[in-house]
Amino acid sequence: MNRSEGLVRRVKNRSENSGNSDQGAANSSANQHDDDQKIDNEDDIDDCDSKETRLTLMEEVLLLGLKDKEGYTSFWNDCISSGLRGCILIELGIRGRVELERAGMRRKGLCSRKVCLKSDTPTGDVLLDEALKHIKETDPPETVQSWIEYLSGETWNPLKLRYQLKNVRERLAKNLVEKGVLTTEKQNFLLFDMTTHPLSDNVIKCKLVKKIQDAVLSKWVNDPQRMDKRMLSLIYLAQASDVLENAFSPLNDDDYELAMRRVRELLDLDFEAEAAKANANEVIWAVFAAFTK
């Protein structure tokens, strides 16, 4: 049993205990609504149902990339922009808002299949809902690779520039400020002032780093289908955003080599085969495939 199944089971038990009298009255429409609620509940439950600050994939990747004291990402990192857009698509996939079109008899590859709207219910996150609105209004639908380019603004098609999500890093940083993880300062860089967001809560980032380290060391399961989908996605997207090294740099040499070897094993997986397995989230694997083309 994987972690997500355990979360669903807890949600079900809680529902059963609170309203047994309502059983049997639900129709197919209500069942669909329950499925969407179950996905949302999964997303809201943190490790061990703790009351700790809950971060989105986008916020976690940005937090890994930010310099603790300086409060900004490396000027040489040109990968994090597209990586954050990949996080957005995966978040929408995990929350049950988007899915891939059916593969069909000829089994189109992950990178060729279009992203389709599954539910237009707002997520409550401004960035996610903005991306969801674009996907909903786009006809014909586009592939994962195309959406990463459109949301990043990295497209030669001027008609698609309206899909660009602007100031994503700054907006995510402000979210982290509101959650008490970062603070806001002004720094002078010779000719101009720049808003920076130094770390204010080191505990949250330390726990994030430890969680990633444990996933590839002490809690390694050697089976991507048994890994928590969020953690698996975080490892891939942190690597694609060129910030995963920041989580492994505190490790001793032996643990560092072991961690990197296991990450390479994940990167070398057959994404098409993994996506075809039972209970796999195809959007997640399509994003992975898009970043390894």
Side-chain angles (χ1 to χ4, degrees), residues 162-266:
R162 62 192 180 93
Y163 295 138
Q164 181 182 6
L165 299 180
K166 298 180 179 179
N167 303 318
V168 168
R169 269 177 271 191
E170 180 63 21
R171 292 160 74 180
L172 290 173
K174 287 181 178 179
N175 289 347
L176 290 170
V177 170
E178 292 176 0
K179 293 180 179 181
V181 181
L182 304 178
T183 187
T184 302
E185 293 181 358
K186 289 280 188 181
Q187 290 195 26
N188 181 267
F189 288 85
L190 297 179
L191 299 177
F192 62 94
D193 290 333
M194 185 176 81
T195 301
T196 61
H197 299 283
L199 192 67
S200 63
D201 188 343
N202 190 53
V203 174
I204 296 294
K205 185 165 185 177
C206 285
K207 287 184 176 181
L208 173 62
V209 169
K210 182 67 163 56
K211 184 171 66 171
I212 296 172
Q213 293 173 354
D214 287 346
V216 293
L217 292 173
S218 61
K219 296 181 180 179
W220 177 248
V221 294
N222 199 30
D223 180 359
Q225 297 296 332
R226 292 172 55 209
M227 289 183 69
D228 172 61
K229 289 182 174 63
R230 283 190 169 278
M231 176 51 63
L232 179 65
S233 301
L234 176 58
I235 291 172
Y236 269 101
L237 272 300
Q239 174 68 17
S241 302
D242 198 20
V243 299
L244 186 60
E245 172 74 17
N246 297 340
F248 293 159
S249 57
L251 296 171
N252 62 51
D253 290 346
D254 290 341
D255 285 344
Y256 177 87
E257 289 299 324
L258 179 58
M260 291 306 298
R261 184 168 71 248
R262 286 172 172 171
V263 169
R264 286 193 292 271
E265 290 175 12
L266 293 176

Side-chain angles (χ1 to χ4, degrees), residues 56-119:
T56 64
L57 280 175
M58 303 92 74
E59 292 166 349
E60 289 178 328
V61 168
L62 180 66
L63 187 56
L64 286 174
L66 285 173
K67 299 175 184 293
D68 292 356
K69 295 181 179 179
E70 294 85 348
Y72 52 82
T73 57
S74 171
F75 295 126
W76 308 109
N77 188 338
D78 58 356
C79 302
I80 195 168
S81 178
S82 57
L84 290 173
R85 273 64 175 189
C87 289
I88 289 172
L89 293 176
I90 286 181
E91 278 279 5
L92 291 174
I94 289 177
R95 297 186 187 210
R97 299 310 193 273
V98 299
E99 61 185 354
L100 292 190
E101 65 177 340
R102 302 301 177 218
M105 296 295 291
R106 300 182 65 180
R107 297 295 302 176
K108 293 168 64 176
L110 287 172
C111 292
S112 301
R113 292 163 64 187
K114 312 294 186 181
V115 178
C116 300
L117 185 72
K118 185 176 181 181
S119 169

Side-chain angles (χ1 to χ4, degrees), residues 142 149-150 153-163:
E142 301 280 0
E149 294 172 358
Y150 297 161
E154 299 174 356
T155 174
W156 293 103
N157 188 341
L159 298 177
K160 303 297 184 180
L161 288 175
R162 62 192 180 93
Y163 295 138

